[in-house]
Amino acid sequence: MDIDIRPLRQQDLPQADRIFRLAFGTFLGLPDPLAFAGDADLVTTRWRARPDAALGAYVDDQLVGSNFAADWGGFGYFGPLTVRPDLWDRGVARRLLAATMELFESWRTPQLGLFTFPHSPKHLGLYGKYGFHKHDLTPVMSKPVQAQTSGAAWSAYSALAPEARAASLSACRALADAVSSGLDLSGEIRAVAELGLGDTVLVHDGADLAGFAVCHVGAGSEAGSGALYVKFGAARPGGDAARNFDRLLSACEAFAHTRGAEKMVAGVNAARKDACRAMTERGFSTVQEGVAMQRPNQPGHNRPDCFVIDDWR
């Protein structure tokens, strides 16, 4: 079988979305595999955010699989990597992975990660062949949204004037870099604002940024109807990190309430023990679990001192 890996074409996005749902729904044994993920969108949104980071696998010029790379400066991850089920175990995923690794090499990304099924030797073995090591589990958690009667004052990135946005991006970069050298969420922040997928919640301590969270909201985003999904959130490291993390969670819930979301969804790696405990104490419960794999075999920002939300799906 002649497999051609090249940039994913815009005209193939509907088929890429169909394969994404069919692949995961089939693997998980859903009665209707195409119902997987509901009206959440993890394909078109990521292509629109960065088309040059979206790869397609083609056989006879027909799309049979895709993968998406995320560039967070000093850290990168990929997914969803999906292949049409009738072509599983035919080398399509390996070809997509090899091309994805070349992308990260061209970006000089020092630390890579992924989220996969902890109960699947097939997935763990495939990624292991590309230098990824299994680390801690990553619970994806959810809680009902409640009106916040008190808590941190917050602001939204999209409400800022253009000149203030530049300063805010700089502050977010500095905070992320303090968490892990080179970590940069600027691309995610801009994409969410420009594509209308949600907003970035900002919490300050005086003039200083204490925390920020990149949030997707509603149908057509990575959250889906009735939900707010925290794709990334971080509190400023230091002695006040736990307090600032709690303030950030309150701010995200307040934002969710203003947007009419009924639930919040957020993932946090189990290595971030205090962050996990803080979310559980606020009423979050696990709805899904994956395992983090990293290359090289280093913790990155999956450390006990990091008050960070992300899950790399």
Side-chain angles (χ1 to χ4, degrees):
M1 187 170 62
D2 186 13
I3 305 166
D4 182 24
I5 306 298
R6 59 179 187 260
L8 181 63
R9 302 178 301 202
Q10 184 174 11
Q11 69 200 58
D12 293 323
L13 290 175
Q15 177 67 357
D17 182 78
R18 184 180 187 281
I19 291 172
F20 156 70
R21 298 176 191 280
L22 182 63
F24 276 104
T26 299
F27 180 82
L28 295 171
L30 300 185
D32 177 10
L34 290 174
F36 177 78
D39 58 9
D41 188 336
L42 279 72
V43 170
T44 303
T45 54
R46 296 188 184 190
W47 186 91
R48 292 176 67 201
R50 187 154 182 182
D52 66 322
L55 295 172
Y58 294 85
V59 173
D60 297 330
D61 204 39
Q62 297 297 310
L63 184 75
V64 298
S66 63
N67 194 21
F68 301 83
D71 178 9
W72 290 0
F75 175 78
Y77 73 96
F78 64 82
L81 190 163
T82 53
V83 176
R84 211 172 67 194
D86 62 306
L87 294 178
W88 285 354
D89 303 318
R90 299 284 298 278
V92 180
R94 290 195 298 273
R95 291 289 307 279
L96 279 167
L97 266 176
T100 303
M101 294 304 106
E102 290 176 3
L103 261 183
F104 286 125
E105 289 170 10
S106 71
W107 297 341
R108 300 179 184 273
T109 311
Q111 182 83 22
L112 304 178
L114 63 91
F115 175 105
T116 193
F117 300 102
H119 62 282
S120 173
K122 174 180 172 181
H123 289 85
L124 298 175
L126 173 63
Y127 300 133
K129 292 177 181 177
Y130 286 83
F132 288 89
H133 297 262
K134 186 170 66 170
H135 283 236
D136 291 88
L137 294 174
T138 298
V140 178
M141 299 191 244
S142 177
K143 78 174 297 292
V145 170
Q146 300 173 339
Q148 298 295 289
T149 56
S150 62
W154 58 277
S155 56
Y157 173 81
S158 67
L160 300 176
E163 60 274 14
R165 287 190 180 189
S168 181
L169 276 178
S170 180
C172 290
R173 276 196 300 270
L175 190 154
D177 181 72
V179 169
S180 184
S181 179
L183 189 63
D184 184 358
L185 276 295
S186 299
E188 294 286 353
I189 294 170
R190 285 193 295 261
V192 164
E194 293 168 4
L195 300 179
L197 301 174
D199 215 326
T200 297
V201 173
L202 308 165
V203 174
H204 287 83
D205 189 359
D208 297 325
L209 184 67
F212 73 96
V214 184
C215 302
H216 285 234
V217 186
S221 75
E222 295 185 24
S225 289
L228 176 141
Y229 169 54
V230 183
K231 186 164 186 177
F232 180 91
R236 188 176 65 219
D240 290 331
R243 181 178 71 88
N244 287 332
F245 188 68
D246 188 68
R247 294 173 66 218
L248 183 63
L249 290 173
S250 292
C252 288
E253 190 159 5
F255 172 58
H257 187 260
T258 67
R259 295 294 294 267
E262 299 171 356
K263 66 178 179 179
M264 285 177 62
V265 179
V268 57
N269 188 264
R272 308 168 196 155
K273 300 181 188 302
D274 290 340
C276 277
R277 182 167 53 251
M279 292 179 65
T280 301
E281 289 173 352
R282 290 187 67 90
F284 281 88
S285 58
T286 300
V287 295
Q288 179 184 354
E289 253 184 350
V291 63
M293 299 187 74
Q294 299 209 64
R295 166 184 162 178
N297 192 14
Q298 297 174 356
H301 57 281
N302 284 347
R303 309 188 313 268
D305 62 305
C306 291
F307 284 83
V308 173
I309 295 169
D310 66 4
D311 58 55
W312 313 343
R313 281 183 293 164

